[in-house]
Amino acid sequence: MSTGNGGDSAPAHISDTSRTSTFSSLKVRNYRLFFTGAIVSNTGTWMARITQDWLVLSLTGSAAAVGITTALQFLPMLLFGLYGGVIADRYPKRLLLVLSQGALGLCGLALAVLTLSGHIQVWHVYLIAFLLGMVTVVDNPARQSFVSEMVGPAHLRNAVSLNSANFQSARLVGPAVAGLLIASIGSGWAFLVNGLSFLAPLTALLLMRTGELHKVERAPRGKGQLREGLRYVAARPELIWPIALVGFVGTFGFNFPIWLTAFADDVFHVGPGMYGFLNTLMAVGSLVGALLSARRGTSRLRMLVGAAVAFGALEIAAALSPAFWLFALLLVPIGMLGLTVNVTANSSVQMATDPVMRGRVMSLYMMVFVGGTPLGAPLVGWITDTYGARVGFATGGAVSLVAAAVIGLVLARLGGLRLKLDMRRGHPHVRFVPREELATAA
């Protein structure tokens, strides 16, 4: 469904209720199957990420080579992401996911065979990373928009939040399992487990009852569908501004591998063990944020802006932290707020989009959010190397903070709101109110 031109809807909420059960969407059988399969494959994916980086570092001895691998995996989303949305809108999403999940599993098995046979070379890893990125171009928008077909609008926000909780839970388990496998029996076996893990989502997709899916009109074949999707988003402030905000936060504020490595090594000199601990704290915060988001029944854009402002401010505070324990503690709310920004933007954009356009809109969302990594990471990395970890981290937080403040003011203006200062005791000091209320008070 569409909410119109967005003039009145920009700061509004998108739901009928303010609170729901944390796991309400799991009552839907098809989504329950999807969620269960995703737990297994997400754990395998996190195992593969850690193992891939370790393998490239072992083969080359170069951190830059690890960066190249990451860039190759994200580059296809930046270059071709919008075309993936066109495909997702044109063909049945369940069929697309069966094909894409199967292809991702084959990529994992290919790495396993090459590594276990002793024939692996770094260009093999580069090539498979790029192929993984190409598959993701279709898999991401299809998977994002398929959620609404499984659960319908009533449970959409809850399902989006649980998907994030699912991913963050795997983030806690996958790297630890990968480390044990690498140390005990080698990288190849970790890749093998990842490849086989995709049998779980494939089985879940095949067991779904298609008659219980929410029917969505598919876009017919035709010219100009990519341009149509871009025009659709550009004409709706309730879509373009959350996507823009997520772009700034994702490109500049989510470069934690760079910053946590630099703080652990160069600032606090705590070693690799504490680096892993910092990543765990981030994952815990993200998981808490996902579960809290699952309990909320609304997707308010004011919540999105507020979370992004707090996220940027806490990143600046963490950058200036004089002690390791304070820096570590701040990572928990940073992870929680970062996840809240992502979930709120994702669900509000999906709910404000006509179903026939959802694949193209979500492909743009993911292109901006994920595709910005090859652009932002080198820039933020250069700032961190040149001026130090504190300046690099603070820069990412400042960009996120300023972007959130500016976009918040734009959305308030579009929604007919004005900033009101109220210094009376017992009243909020700063809040947005309708213009009419402000005029009456004056």
Side-chain angles (χ1 to χ4, degrees), residues 119-194:
H119 294 99
I120 190 71
Q121 298 180 38
V122 70
W123 72 266
H124 293 142
V125 184
Y126 288 165
L127 176 61
I128 292 176
F130 184 77
L131 292 176
L132 285 168
M134 289 298 295
V135 176
T136 303
V137 165
V138 176
D139 182 80
N140 244 321
R143 182 161 36 84
Q144 295 279 340
S145 52
F146 186 56
V147 173
S148 64
E149 294 188 24
M150 287 185 287
V151 302
H155 296 293
L156 179 58
R157 178 185 169 83
N158 180 261
V160 170
S161 300
L162 289 183
N163 283 349
S164 297
N166 188 321
F167 190 72
Q168 297 304 327
S169 299
R171 182 181 173 187
L172 291 173
V173 177
V177 176
L180 290 174
L181 288 177
I182 293 169
S184 59
I185 54 179
S187 300
W189 294 101
F191 287 132
L192 180 62
V193 172
N194 172 53

Side-chain angles (χ1 to χ4, degrees), residues 65-107:
V66 177
I68 292 172
T69 309
T70 303
L72 285 171
Q73 196 160 334
F74 287 116
L75 189 61
M77 181 61 72
L78 179 64
L79 298 178
F80 310 114
L82 292 176
Y83 295 97
V86 173
I87 295 172
D89 281 336
R90 185 178 294 173
Y91 298 100
K93 297 176 182 63
R94 178 169 164 269
L95 174 60
L96 289 176
L97 287 173
V98 168
L99 296 175
S100 64
Q101 293 291 298
L104 292 172
L106 289 175
C107 287

Side-chain angles (χ1 to χ4, degrees), residues 7 9 29-30 44-45 57 69 92 118 131 133 164 180 208 214 226 262 273 295-296 339 342 387-388 405 422 426 440:
S9 63
R29 178 183 180 275
N30 284 340
T45 297
L57 193 62
T69 309
L131 292 176
S164 297
L180 290 174
M208 286 184 182
H214 293 254
L226 183 57
R295 288 185 59 81
R296 288 192 293 268
L339 198 286
N342 188 14
Y387 300 102
D422 192 342
T440 302

Side-chain angles (χ1 to χ4, degrees), residues 213-265:
L213 295 174
H214 293 254
K215 299 297 182 183
V216 174
E217 180 185 356
R218 293 202 297 272
R221 281 182 171 272
K223 295 182 178 180
Q225 290 181 332
L226 183 57
R227 292 191 298 273
E228 180 188 10
L230 293 174
R231 286 195 300 267
Y232 179 86
V233 173
R236 289 164 173 77
E238 73 274 22
L239 296 179
I240 194 169
W241 289 114
I243 291 175
L245 178 54
V246 161
F248 279 106
V249 173
T251 301
F252 297 100
F254 271 60
N255 293 287
F256 297 109
I258 296 172
W259 295 323
L260 296 188
T261 304
F263 269 85
D265 189 37

Side-chain angles (χ1 to χ4, degrees), residues 305 402-415 417-419 432:
V305 172
V402 171
V406 171
I407 290 174
L409 291 174
V410 170
L411 287 170
R413 183 176 179 83
L414 289 170
L417 301 180
R418 286 289 182 269
L419 193 66
F432 285 106

